[in-house]
Amino acid sequence: MHMTCIKRAVAVAGALALAGCAGMGGNGGKAGMQMPGKIPADTAVAATWYNPPSEFPGICLTQFKDGSLRFDGGFAFYNPGRWTYDAATSELRLALAPTPSLELSHAQIVQHQNLLRIEADKNTLVYGVKADTRAIGLGGFVFYRDTPCPPRRG
């Protein structure tokens, strides 16, 4: 009787542990990493940020659930990139392709909405992002969250 209860308890604990791991990144892109807030319609996408066209063409930043990120329409020199989100600290980390101007172009942190710090040695920008965060500043441009990006061409 006791052995049956122990076996069931172990099976339940194992199932709960597996369920907890299901939402973490690195699982072949099925669930992957997720950002807080609105869930995009595209199952491979964790979040989109868009700088609408004005005097420059629109720029789209797409975060994929596999941890990669891509710029379209501008800032292609930051590709390829990676991202992570720490829910405990509400920090979004964008690790961008090495560029000598990263620290210089973001030196005025107060001008870059929600930018907490620059980790230049890692080519990383760290933002404070919660479910209600509407925009981030990157390279002097404001990127709005959950704004649809136009379809990619080519």
Side-chain angles (χ1 to χ4, degrees):
M1 172 93 172
H2 291 291
M3 189 56 88
T4 302
C5 288
I6 291 172
K7 286 180 182 178
R8 286 184 183 164
V10 168
V12 168
L16 289 173
L18 288 174
C21 292
M24 296 179 157
N27 61 2
K30 292 179 183 156
M33 293 189 290
Q34 189 62 49
M35 291 285 292
K38 183 180 172 185
I39 297 172
D42 184 337
T43 58
V45 174
T48 58
W49 303 85
Y50 187 58
N51 172 262
S54 58
E55 60 187 277
F56 296 100
I59 305 170
C60 184
L61 165 58
T62 305
Q63 293 172 244
F64 296 95
K65 289 184 180 179
D66 68 359
S68 65
L69 66 85
R70 181 184 67 226
F71 286 91
D72 292 303
F75 287 171
F77 48 84
Y78 285 139
N79 291 332
R82 304 283 307 160
W83 71 276
T84 58
Y85 182 75
D86 183 342
T89 60
S90 299
E91 289 185 350
L92 170 63
R93 301 172 60 84
L94 303 181
L96 306 174
T99 176
S101 64
L102 181 69
E103 190 169 22
L104 180 61
S105 66
H106 292 82
Q108 298 295 325
I109 288 180
V110 295
Q111 294 178 356
H112 290 85
Q113 199 166 4
N114 296 311
L115 182 60
L116 300 175
R117 67 184 172 278
I118 303 160
E119 296 174 356
D121 59 324
K122 298 175 186 172
N123 293 304
T124 300
L125 301 173
V126 182
Y127 294 90
V129 174
K130 296 182 179 178
D132 62 348
T133 301
R134 299 307 319 146
I136 59 173
L138 197 150
F141 294 84
V142 176
F143 286 76
Y144 297 95
R145 185 173 190 178
D146 299 329
T147 302
C149 296
R152 285 181 59 197
R153 294 182 207 166

